Amino acid sequence: MSIRTKNETADWAIGEKLVESLSLSGGRLLPEQISHNADKFSNNFIDSSSIRDCWAAEEIFDVNGVQSVLYRDFAWRRRRSVKSIGSVVHTFRNLRGQVVPGSISLRASYSDEVDWMVVFRRWCEIFEPQLGMLHLFTAPELHPDNLNDSFQIGSFNSALSPEVPNIGWSMFYGDDFSREVDDERIKSMGFSVESLMGGRLVTVTKEIGDIVADFSLFDRRRAELKRLFRNGFFLVDC
């Protein structure tokens, strides 16, 4: 699950809502450990108050006499079922005054005991993304050559000029991207399109588990959905 947003993320109210979203589905996604570094965890998660001091800690940088404020990343992980790791890279302004979008991601072992769409929809409500993706990667898409491509890591390529590499099981198109969604045309072909937070939530099949049950069917429907967007909108057209 991956989100890219231009909205401010540093306010603790956003952090509280993120923790609340992870408590859905019986708390199976709640953190066990938290950190500023996704490669090193030392602090235990107790409740949302244990995150507050770790959320958006400020760092001030001085470059040629010009000060700028950045916010330290936030990361969490869970080792028990459902095993997962997530991170928040906060939105900030660079030295040119440009808004550099924040990114929020969660990688987790798949479990049908988690309602992934409920969590994803909640993230879209919290962060009002430019782009968002919820996808289940299985063997056909886990070739070593694709290990670090933008689709698999959910990076949407450039921070300032994001692109859509491919279609995940459910995609959120916000900002200018929502203009690319022809609601009626897509609905007429049996796909789900939901208006949400000024954007569009478009889903390939009824259940995310369909990717496991019948990947070839999912892939065929994904290809059909792609043809309902303009040529060149996705980096992977086939």
Side-chain angles (χ1 to χ4, degrees), residues 108-210:
S109 300
Y110 176 68
S111 169
D112 57 12
E113 293 185 337
V114 173
D115 192 329
W116 300 99
M117 177 56 97
V118 166
V119 179
F120 183 56
R121 185 182 285 109
R122 182 64 182 130
W123 277 26
C124 292
E125 293 169 346
I126 294 168
F127 296 104
E128 299 183 36
Q130 289 178 289
L131 285 169
M133 179 179 78
L134 169 60
H135 191 60
L136 173 57
F137 287 94
T138 56
E141 293 182 302
L142 293 175
H143 191 277
D145 291 347
N146 301 329
L147 183 61
N148 292 310
D149 70 14
S150 57
F151 177 53
Q152 194 170 133
I153 65 177
S155 68
F156 304 116
N157 286 346
S158 168
L160 293 177
S161 301
E163 300 173 293
V164 188
N166 204 344
I167 293 181
W169 175 74
S170 185
M171 300 289 296
F172 182 87
Y173 303 98
D175 293 349
D176 293 340
F177 294 97
S178 64
R179 300 174 187 175
E180 304 282 352
V181 180
D182 187 332
D183 292 23
E184 296 308 315
R185 187 181 182 204
I186 292 173
K187 287 178 180 178
S188 72
M189 295 299 291
F191 298 101
S192 172
V193 181
E194 177 183 343
S195 296
L196 182 67
M197 307 305 292
R200 296 293 185 273
L201 189 64
V202 182
T203 306
V204 179
T205 65
K206 186 175 181 181
E207 303 289 342
I208 193 169
D210 295 337

